[in-house]
Amino acid sequence: MTTTAATNMLKLTINDQTVEVAGGATVLEAALAAGIAIPTLCHHPLLEPSGGCRMCLVEVDGARGGLITACSTPAVAGMVVRTNTERVRTARRDVLELLLAEHPLDCLTCERTGSCDLQDYAYEYGADGKTIAGAAYPPAAVRPDMVDGTNHFFVRDLDKCILCGRCVKICAEVMGYGAIDFVSRGAQTKVTTSFDVPIEQSSCVFCGNCITICPTGALQPKQGARQGRSFQYDKVRTVCPYCGVGCSINLHVRDGRVIGSSAAEGPSNRKLLCVKGHFGHDWIQSPERLSTPLIRGEDGELREASWDEALDLVARRLVEIRDQHGPDAIGGLCSAKVTNEENYVFQRFMRAALGTNNVDHCARLCHASTVAGLALSFGSGAMTNSYWEFEDSDAFFIIGSNTTETHPVIAAVVERARQRGATMIVADPREIEFAARADIWLQQAPGSDVALLNGMMHVILAEGLADQEFIAARTEGFSELEAKLAEYPPERAAEISGVPAEDIRRAARAYAAAGSAAILYSMGITQHTTGVDNVRSIANLAMMTGNVGKYAAGVNPLRGQNNVQGSCDMGGLPGNFPGYQLVGNDDHRAKFEAAWEAELSPTPGLTVIELLNAAEAGQVKAVYIMGENPMVSDPDLTHVEEALRSLDFLVVQDIFMTETSALADVVLPSASYAEKDGTFTNSERRIQLFGPAVAAPGQARADWEIICDLAGRVGHEMNYPGGTAEIMDEIARLTPLYGGVSHARLAEHDRRGLQWPCPDAKHPGTPFLHAGKFSRGLGQFAAVEYRPPAEVPDDEYPVVLTTGRILYHFHTGTMTRRSAGLGAHVPEGYIELNARDAADAGVGDGDMVKVTSRRGSITTRARVIEGIAPGVTFMPFHFAEAAANVLTNSALDPTAKIPELKVCAVRLEAAGAGGDA
Ligand code: SF4
């Protein structure tokens, strides 16, 4: 017996080799740890082992019958295992022969040939599917009822299914949907949907993780079908361009074209993806991509131009406007969709070349409240912990985040923990997927979060559940909060939020009682005129219970776009240089002035909405937009259009013509993520390096190259002959958070990336923040008073509209609506509403409804659902032709200057009513 209580390690012998593993490891895990391969078909590290396929049989001395399944048998001290004896090989060959007896031997025409586990094992073990008498599968047999290709994303061919169950288990155990299962018995057994309906009609969300995990060709993506087998194309690993999770994907490249995509093993996603990351990259090859610079001619039309002509014009006009009206008559929007290096050169261009701090971007509209609020409470405005820590969390409080739709891979980690017993508390005005799965669902009224959170904290304090030791040692300002909380007994919180007082008590107790409780939130919290108050209340709750600065807990803002964290880190903010160094701080400014050899303004610039207001007022004359589409993403679009049209000069740099570039004087074509290199920083602060897969279309160039070329033309040389690696070196020199980051380091260790803070070249990065000490020293409590939204329902506009994202589309739809599968699956916008509101408006499910706010009207399709309270409606904002942001309110949070995209008051009428719909 070699187990020691001190380490809980044990020793066993595998193939005459002594192997030491932690107690609880399986024989398979022990073998893998020793570098010994054992074949598997039903096993996968993300799934609970079942031992169903018997491919992992190994011989163990003393075991009954001698053979055991390695994947489901715990390693025992002193165990003697042999993985490759003749007996083992014969048993595995027999397993394969049985599988092949019912499997079409059509490898010559199968898409999966060359990347099929069954094919590889058959070759390795000499199985040919002909040794079982009378059972050989008829060659080329086709049973049409076994093939389902009715959805937009993949084909399921049950003829090739070996019933390993991986797809069933990943759908249930990891994604939490259970869209498929085994049905029937014996030879009739098959994997299918409930009632055997087509997949399109099931609860499948088309994440494609079943395809990734399938060991045969039973599941195949439609995109790229018949364009090449795995050995005929290159797989180029990159980072998903959509949400802030930062999943690793492979682009499949053949003959210089992206023909498909698949999941890659990455540090943040562990080979999981959602539908967008799996199937949403075909737009890269779209004929609609911008490929030539465009200049608006005297006839008012955009015409093609050379780069020299376009950039000379941009440089000349910007210099003229700066010289005539001053540098602050120019503003720029950088982008949460382009790289760190590109955002860095953009803000340097605005500050050093043009002399203004008027640089901001879409982060203002999503997580400005987080950046400001968490900086005040903790000293750092970012996600405190890492996604995969959540596997070990005891409880989750998810508020204002529709995680399964907006951050599906993080949702999968949370779901695994939930299935293993973690408590889930969800606060959301709608019955989102997680609300349906939660232990406690708090259906708060939109905009009532501070009251709800104060009510929960009141209970925690009153019932002695606060972590007084943590409060005393790690924080300040608690007495002021304590006094404020006295005003919020759960009954008062219930009155404001609409959540029953007893549910507030249950949620408070469940959160406070957990050993490690993680808060996850997103734009349901931040996009309010009380956004900073909401964030500070969340920080109060976490600090009060000692849930910050430790593993598997924390305050975790989930970022909406793939580089929104990085674009903020890079100084794409009007008051901050890279690394949140202040433009108003003399030391910080002196450092950047020396590095950039330029005089810099000490005055913080204008935020997005302020910039547009200033444009309409005639104070801002020129705006340069890189990779943003405010004509769909910003609130009160009528006002946005008026502001942009009132400019003397508008430049838009993008990959497609958008609703915004259609208004531009100059349009510059840029390369997409698939055509350039650089880094993105995801929600868990992980900086990831990626490279190009294909060439950019036509004359399109990387954003950083365009900006550097332009900078020289306005007299500020920005030369980086070493490319983006050299830009990152400059970032590291000037930005303490990124001090130890370089492309060379990021390329190491299978591109696992680095999580900031990473202050020097030896620092390994930081998985969770504030251990032992907050970034600001002591955590700062804030006594937060509830304030109602800026616009509440009244007789004229009696219904609340809240807006957000959906699983199948991203942001302003520029990319996903040009993706064949995504575009076809959800082709148009809609409004979700309760049956009572639908009846009041005189509309039924599927009817067109006119929605009017104080700022405008749109017409869209009604979806009458149960999971939304009377008086509340929801619209996704991705659809330009019925843009939710025509309706939304641009009232701002006073600190973060984020608009109240989550609450406005509207009126509903059947389309046709009111005369103009
Ligand atoms: Fe891409 Fe986000 Fe989906 Fe991951 S979860 S595949 S990053 S959209």
Side-chain angles (χ1 to χ4, degrees):
M1 183 76 176
T2 51
T3 305
T4 64
T7 60
N8 193 28
M9 299 297 283
L10 59 85
K11 288 181 181 172
L12 68 162
T13 303
I14 306 179
N15 297 352
D16 300 324
Q17 185 180 333
T18 301
V19 180
E20 187 170 14
V21 290
T26 62
V27 172
L28 177 65
E29 287 164 344
L32 287 175
I36 298 168
I38 295 176
T40 58
L41 286 171
C42 71
H43 175 79
H44 190 278
L46 286 175
L47 308 176
E48 293 298 321
S50 65
C53 74
R54 323 306 277 181
M55 269 304 287
C56 67
L57 288 171
V58 293
E59 222 174 332
V60 173
D61 283 2
R64 190 188 302 169
L67 294 176
I68 57 109
T69 49
C71 75
S72 57
T73 303
V76 175
M79 194 179 233
V80 178
V81 181
R82 278 176 291 277
T83 68
N84 204 24
T85 63
E86 191 47 42
R87 187 177 175 208
V88 164
R89 292 183 65 81
T90 300
R92 290 178 187 159
R93 188 161 49 243
D94 289 347
V95 168
L96 289 166
E97 291 292 359
L98 286 165
L99 291 174
L100 292 172
E102 294 195 334
H103 192 87
L105 300 178
D106 61 352
C107 299
L108 287 176
T109 54
C110 180
E111 289 279 327
R112 198 67 185 266
T113 197
S115 61
C116 171
D117 292 350
L118 184 64
Q119 187 184 49
D120 289 348
Y121 292 147
Y123 179 81
E124 184 180 345
Y125 288 89
D128 60 9
K130 297 174 186 162
T131 57
I132 298 186
Y137 193 90
V142 176
R143 286 182 279 168
D145 62 313
M146 303 295 267
V147 177
D148 178 0
T150 54
N151 69 84
H152 298 290
F153 303 104
F154 62 85
V155 175
R156 178 189 65 171
D157 183 352
L158 293 181
D159 240 9
K160 295 177 180 171
C161 174
I162 58 171
L163 300 175
C164 68
R166 278 190 189 177
C167 56
V168 171
K169 286 163 75 70
I170 201 161
C171 190
E173 291 177 11
V174 178
M175 301 309 293
Y177 289 97
I180 48 177
D181 206 342
F182 293 106
V183 299
S184 300
R185 291 290 178 270
Q188 303 304 313
T189 306
K190 65 177 180 178
V191 172
T192 189
T193 56
S194 297
F195 306 107
D196 212 5
V197 297
I199 293 167
E200 186 84 0
Q201 296 168 27
S202 73
S203 59
C204 175
V205 292
F206 302 100
C207 62
N209 293 320
C210 53
I211 300 177
T212 305
I213 212 167
C214 176
T216 74
L219 295 162
Q220 286 296 324
K222 283 188 166 176
Q223 191 199 350
R226 315 317 297 179
Q227 292 191 43
R229 278 80 57 87
S230 60
F231 51 83
Q232 293 173 304
Y233 54 73
D234 296 325
K235 282 185 176 178
V236 181
R237 181 173 148 186
T238 185
V239 179
C240 178
Y242 295 119
C243 86
V245 180
C247 297
S248 296
I249 56 169
N250 291 316
L251 293 178
H252 301 176
V253 179
R254 185 175 182 186
D255 301 329
R257 290 176 59 82
V258 174
I259 58 164
S261 50
S262 59
E265 181 72 48
S268 296
N269 66 315
R270 301 191 186 173
K271 232 171 168 179
L272 297 175
L273 292 179
C274 78
V275 62
K276 295 188 293 296
H278 214 128
F279 302 107
H281 307 280
D282 42 337
W283 56 263
I284 294 167
Q285 309 293 163
S286 167
E288 295 176 29
R289 286 286 304 276
L290 288 171
S291 58
T292 311
L294 302 171
I295 289 176
R296 195 168 298 282
E298 289 181 358
D299 60 357
E301 299 297 317
L302 288 168
R303 65 166 174 83
E304 292 189 355
S306 69
W307 273 108
D308 275 338
E309 186 186 8
L311 291 181
D312 281 345
L313 173 62
V314 174
R316 180 170 58 77
R317 292 293 290 129
L318 292 178
V319 168
E320 281 172 4
I321 288 168
R322 181 187 63 187
D323 292 349
Q324 194 178 348
H325 301 283
D328 290 337
I330 304 173
L333 301 182
C334 54
S335 175
K337 302 178 204 71
V338 309
T339 66
N340 287 323
E341 292 78 359
E342 290 168 330
N343 279 296
Y344 175 84
V345 297
F346 187 90
Q347 59 87 40
R348 176 177 165 179
F349 170 72
M350 295 302 297
R351 295 189 155 110
L354 298 178
T356 180
N357 284 317
N358 286 344
V359 54
D360 203 14
H361 70 294
C362 217
R364 181 69 48 197
L365 308 179
C366 58
H367 272 287
S369 320
T370 293
V371 174
L374 292 189
L376 291 167
S377 294
F378 301 157
S380 171
M383 185 168 171
T384 59
N385 289 62
S386 302
Y387 318 146
W388 287 88
E389 291 177 20
F390 298 150
E391 283 195 303
D392 297 320
S393 298
D394 299 311
F396 299 96
F397 181 31
I398 300 168
I399 180 166
S401 161
N402 187 1
T403 322
T404 56
E405 297 218 31
T406 56
H407 301 86
V409 167
I410 296 176
V413 184
V414 171
E415 173 62 17
R416 271 161 57 83
R418 187 189 73 82
Q419 292 198 20
R420 290 174 182 178
T423 303
M424 185 187 280
I425 307 154
V426 172
D428 202 284
R430 295 187 298 145
E431 191 180 14
I432 55 174
E433 181 70 33
F434 265 175
R437 298 183 200 170
D439 298 280
I440 303 169
W441 171 33
L442 311 173
Q443 190 177 21
Q444 83 276 39
S448 66
D449 304 279
V450 165
L452 175 65
L453 289 158
N454 277 353
M456 286 176 64
M457 286 186 274
H458 179 104
V459 173
I460 289 169
L461 206 53
E463 299 190 4
L465 301 173
D467 187 339
Q468 295 295 351
E469 207 177 309
F470 186 92
I471 293 168
R474 299 280 314 268
T475 68
E476 58 187 343
F478 187 65
S479 54
E480 290 85 346
L481 174 64
E482 201 171 7
K484 181 56 62 187
L485 295 182
E487 301 168 18
Y488 285 87
E491 285 69 24
R492 182 177 173 218
E495 204 175 298
I496 297 169
S497 67
V499 177
E502 191 48 34
D503 286 350
I504 295 174
R505 288 193 179 88
R506 287 171 59 223
R509 289 169 192 147
Y511 173 79
S516 293
I519 299 176
L520 277 61
Y521 75 88
S522 196
M523 284 163 258
I525 281 295
T526 57
Q527 290 177 329
H528 293 275
T529 49
T530 56
V532 171
D533 288 351
N534 293 349
V535 170
R536 298 212 69 185
S537 291
I538 284 174
N540 285 344
L541 176 64
M543 287 193 289
M544 174 192 271
T545 51
N547 270 309
V548 199
K550 70 179 184 184
Y551 176 78
V555 172
N556 298 288
L558 308 182
R559 314 302 299 260
Q561 302 185 53
N562 81 331
N563 201 34
V564 70
Q565 182 65 57
S567 51
C568 293
D569 297 347
M570 291 300 106
L573 302 169
N576 299 91
F577 293 121
Y580 307 96
Q581 297 167 93
L582 300 170
V583 298
N585 179 299
D586 291 344
D587 292 340
H588 296 169
R589 199 170 60 259
K591 179 170 72 170
F592 285 94
E593 285 182 335
W596 295 343
E597 299 179 355
E599 191 178 333
L600 303 176
S601 167
T603 310
L606 299 172
T607 61
V608 170
I609 303 299
E610 291 171 333
L611 188 73
L612 294 169
N613 291 341
E616 197 174 22
Q619 291 149 2
V620 164
K621 305 287 184 185
V623 170
Y624 194 126
I625 298 176
M626 173 178 73
E628 297 242 323
N629 188 10
M631 277 297 296
V632 179
S633 63
D634 289 20
D636 192 359
L637 290 179
T638 308
H639 166 68
V640 173
E641 182 169 354
E642 285 165 6
L644 294 177
R645 285 191 186 281
S646 66
L647 291 167
D648 289 353
F649 193 57
L650 174 64
V651 185
V652 176
Q653 184 170 308
D654 214 319
I655 60 175
F656 285 106
M657 279 302 282
T658 65
E659 292 71 18
T660 304
S661 58
L663 303 178
D665 298 290
V666 178
V667 180
L668 302 175
S670 57
S672 77
Y673 79 102
E675 298 138 2
K676 59 188 177 186
D677 69 356
T679 60
F680 292 133
T681 304
N682 72 6
S683 241
E684 58 179 356
R685 299 168 280 102
R686 191 184 298 277
I687 307 150
Q688 301 191 90
L689 179 68
F690 67 96
V694 291
Q699 299 174 44
R701 300 168 72 186
D703 291 280
W704 71 270
E705 292 176 339
I706 301 169
I707 299 297
C708 290
D709 192 338
L710 185 58
R713 292 171 200 251
V714 301
H716 178 79
E717 294 298 331
M718 285 167 45
N719 296 319
Y720 298 99
T724 54
E726 188 178 340
I727 299 172
M728 181 53 81
D729 290 343
E730 183 172 309
I731 294 167
R733 276 197 303 280
L734 295 168
T735 312
L737 288 177
Y738 281 63
V741 178
S742 67
H743 281 200
R745 273 195 87 188
L746 294 171
E748 292 171 1
H749 308 305
D750 196 26
R751 286 198 263 158
R752 296 199 58 75
L754 287 164
Q755 287 176 279
W756 66 252
C758 179
D760 61 63
K762 295 230 168 352
H763 196 284
T766 309
F768 64 89
L769 301 177
H770 314 305
K773 187 180 174 205
F774 283 97
S775 301
R776 70 179 295 279
L778 293 174
Q780 175 71 61
F781 282 109
V784 182
E785 186 75 87
Y786 164 73
R787 288 184 289 123
E791 190 173 82
V792 292
D794 55 18
D795 289 346
E796 201 179 352
Y797 300 97
V799 175
V800 170
L801 172 69
T802 186
T803 63
R805 298 160 191 245
I806 59 170
L807 175 62
Y808 297 94
H809 285 292
F810 176 73
H811 213 237
T812 65
T814 308
M815 296 181 284
T816 51
R817 297 196 72 195
R818 289 182 169 92
S819 170
L822 297 168
H825 194 73
V826 183
E828 63 176 10
Y830 54 87
I831 185 167
E832 288 181 356
L833 69 168
N834 181 279
R836 193 194 78 184
D837 295 317
D840 288 350
V843 295
D845 188 38
D847 290 347
M848 299 305 286
V849 57
K850 181 183 175 190
V851 191
T852 305
S853 78
R854 289 184 173 82
R855 292 152 293 279
S857 292
I858 56 114
T859 299
T860 189
R861 197 171 297 282
R863 280 194 188 179
V864 181
I865 62 167
E866 290 179 1
I868 196 163
V872 179
T873 60
F874 168 81
M875 279 184 71
F877 77 96
H878 314 291
F879 302 91
E881 65 279 12
N885 280 326
V886 167
L887 308 166
T888 49
N889 190 354
S890 60
L892 300 180
D893 177 283
T895 305
K897 308 289 173 67
I898 191 171
E900 192 147 64
L901 291 159
K902 281 290 183 278
V903 186
C904 71
V906 297
R907 181 174 68 236
L908 307 174
E909 300 157 90
D916 60 350

